[in-house]
Amino acid sequence: MLKGADDVVMEQEDSASRNGETASWDINDIKLPQDVKQTDWFQEWPDSYVKHIYSSEDKNAQRHHSSWAMRNTNNHNSRILKKSCLGVVVCGNDCSTLDGRKIYLRPAICDKARQKQQRKCCPNCNGPLRLISCRGHGGYPVTNFWRHEGQFIFFQSKGAHDHPRPETKLEAEARRSIQKAQTAFSPPCPKLKRIREIESLAGEMQTHEYLPLLLCKPEAYVIPDRFSRHLSKSSPEHALSGGSGQLLYLGADRLPGAPRGCRSLTLAPAHLPSEPFCTGVHYEPFRPNTGPAGDASYEGKPHPASSSSCLPSSLFLLAQQEPYLVPASAHHHRHHLAPPKANGRDLEDEQQGLNLDYCSSEMFFNLYPLR
DNA sequence: CGGTGCGGGGCGT
DNA sequence: ACGCCCCGCACCG
């Protein structure tokens, strides 16, 4: 069963590469090919200088999705949408969890939200967060280009990401939901409430002073190793996120023997039944609407049972912390290359002036997919 | 609240 | 002119 799933994925990737590096067109061409024999399956983590041709029916392509944190960039060309990579948010203390996982948060796309994000603390060690900018394209961020032409959507990426993969959009959204629920429910620790008050005050005052790191329990939710193994080996483009939100946080339970407040988080694909290759951890969140042969196979609308909104709030209420960890093995490790200075635009690169050496609180982070 | 897309405009090459 | 970026705005979920 799993093997069958892998085969399917391999096929998809083959089809994707056919229109990829070998393609003769460029996104800036006046005329793009319209005699496309086969469209590509949606690629969630496009990297390096690749090109893809998606069906115009492909919902993910329509929405110009990527699991990289890409923001819109104005290229003064309304025909070609350009996006540039925001990099990844890491722990300033470079902490690791017990099992060696690193913190790779998704940079907020919105400028203001990103600034706010950087005032927050590492979910694992409460240290400062640091944004690693993407400089994979000649010192500039990797850029993605989207162009709708006829029945196709042309995609081209320029540059190779020089940083680890951030959490996916879905993961980031889930984390926000958890935080929200936590705040709405009873804040487990008065300090947390306090820091939130301070933070909102600080926001109003537009101060750049750093906030005391008072966030309480450094619990975190992580993705299991086997998840990442699967992810990197057989299906890097099809795990851990989802245009229609198949990956769900189903619950968080206190682990026996774990420190107080330490919980495990359960992840599960939300609509296993109808998906042929949704077996256990192997499923396909970014499933395109049309297969390689162009046959309509999936409507593309979020499955009624798979959008994040279907999460019972009671489950969220079990979750107790905002944190977020991504398995180090799921990422590239080309980061920390000496970056060419990109145009003095590095406001966001400033690191926070805190250097708390308190990556402590080793916890058991346990998490497993259902079914 | 944050993601997304658009477009004006600044700046360096 | 071109490429890159910042910013504000509007729309949407």
Side-chain angles (χ1 to χ4, degrees):
Chain A
M1 187 64 176
L2 256 184
K3 188 171 183 301
D6 283 345
D7 291 344
V8 173
V9 170
M10 294 283 270
E11 257 177 50
Q12 296 167 26
E13 288 173 351
D14 285 351
S15 100
S17 62
R18 273 197 287 277
N19 287 321
E21 298 90 310
T22 56
S24 54
W25 54 271
D26 185 272
I27 200 79
N28 291 307
D29 289 350
I30 297 168
K31 281 219 154 192
L32 290 174
Q34 286 296 306
D35 58 339
V36 180
K37 292 178 185 68
Q38 197 165 49
T39 54
D40 294 326
W41 289 82
F42 186 77
Q43 300 297 300
E44 192 180 347
W45 296 101
D47 205 346
S48 301
Y49 297 77
V50 297
K51 298 169 190 171
H52 294 295
I53 302 176
Y54 301 120
S55 159
S56 58
E57 305 293 307
D58 188 314
K59 290 288 187 288
N60 287 311
Q62 284 174 6
R63 291 164 192 156
H64 316 128
H65 276 161
S66 172
S67 285
W68 299 101
M70 306 296 294
R71 71 161 161 200
N72 183 290
T73 303
N74 186 13
N75 61 344
H76 298 279
N77 183 345
S78 54
R79 296 184 63 85
I80 303 175
L81 178 66
K82 178 181 177 182
K83 291 184 157 199
S84 53
C85 181
L86 285 165
V88 62
V89 173
V90 299
C91 172
N93 290 342
D94 194 32
C95 72
S96 304
T97 61
L98 247 189
D99 47 2
R101 297 156 201 266
K102 293 290 186 184
I103 309 284
Y104 296 125
L105 303 185
R106 182 181 189 81
I109 306 298
C110 170
D111 292 351
K112 267 175 79 179
R114 196 165 55 257
Q115 281 158 21
K116 200 200 286 184
Q117 177 185 38
Q118 286 184 85
R119 293 198 298 266
K120 294 183 178 172
C121 307
C122 169
N124 185 48
C125 74
N126 279 1
L129 291 177
R130 190 167 70 89
L131 179 72
I132 297 183
S133 297
C134 178
R135 301 179 189 284
H137 187 214
Y140 288 108
V142 168
T143 45
N144 286 355
F145 298 87
W146 296 89
R147 182 168 155 192
H148 295 233
E149 210 68 55
Q151 49 180 142
F152 305 112
I153 298 175
F154 294 83
F155 171 89
Q156 183 169 354
S157 86
K158 297 182 180 176
H161 296 274
D162 60 346
H163 54 84
R165 290 178 178 181
E167 46 179 356
T168 64
K169 187 182 163 190
L170 182 67
E171 289 162 356
E173 281 170 358
R175 180 161 51 92
R176 276 203 298 273
S177 298
I178 289 171
Q179 284 177 244
K180 215 174 193 175
Q182 176 186 322
T183 335
F185 198 46
S186 55
C189 112
K191 279 190 209 163
L192 182 57
K193 198 180 168 192
R194 171 111 181 95
I195 194 174
R196 295 226 161 98
E197 288 166 4
I198 296 172
E199 194 170 32
S200 66
L201 195 66
E204 284 166 23
M205 294 167 64
Q206 306 247 330
T207 171
H208 291 285
E209 288 177 351
Y210 297 118
L211 300 166
L213 300 176
L214 298 177
L215 284 179
C216 41
K217 296 167 301 224
E219 313 143 4
Y221 304 134
V222 296
I223 287 111
D225 270 338
R226 58 189 142 147
F227 225 92
S228 58
R229 272 196 297 273
H230 213 73
L231 197 155
S232 48
K233 277 186 188 163
S234 63
S235 172
E237 315 301 337
H238 294 91
L240 292 185
S241 72
S244 47
Q246 282 83 343
L247 182 61
L248 293 185
Y249 293 74
L250 293 185
D253 301 294
R254 178 86 67 82
L255 290 170
R260 235 162 64 89
C262 188
R263 285 150 208 276
S264 72
L265 183 69
T266 303
L267 287 168
H271 66 287
L272 295 176
S274 59
E275 300 293 340
F277 33 77
C278 285
T279 54
V281 297
H282 203 124
Y283 61 99
E284 191 210 12
F286 266 85
R287 183 159 182 190
N289 314 303
T290 47
D295 53 312
S297 57
Y298 184 64
E299 205 274 307
K301 270 196 131 184
H303 188 285
S306 67
S307 92
S308 58
S309 62
C310 74
L311 258 182
S313 55
S314 59
L315 291 176
F316 270 133
L317 296 180
L318 291 171
Q320 291 284 315
Q321 187 54 305
E322 49 213 290
Y324 226 66
L325 304 174
V326 175
S329 56
H331 303 297
H332 307 157
H333 286 283
R334 283 175 286 162
H335 52 310
H336 302 318
L337 300 177
K341 188 69 182 174
N343 251 3
R345 62 171 167 95
D346 286 336
L347 261 179
E348 295 166 352
D349 287 42
E350 315 171 348
Q351 301 181 16
Q352 302 205 356
L354 287 173
N355 201 6
L356 291 200
D357 195 329
Y358 111 51
C359 293
S360 54
S361 316
E362 300 295 359
M363 303 271 181
F364 301 118
F365 300 117
N366 197 8
L367 162 155
Y368 43 88
L370 288 179
R371 292 198 229 194

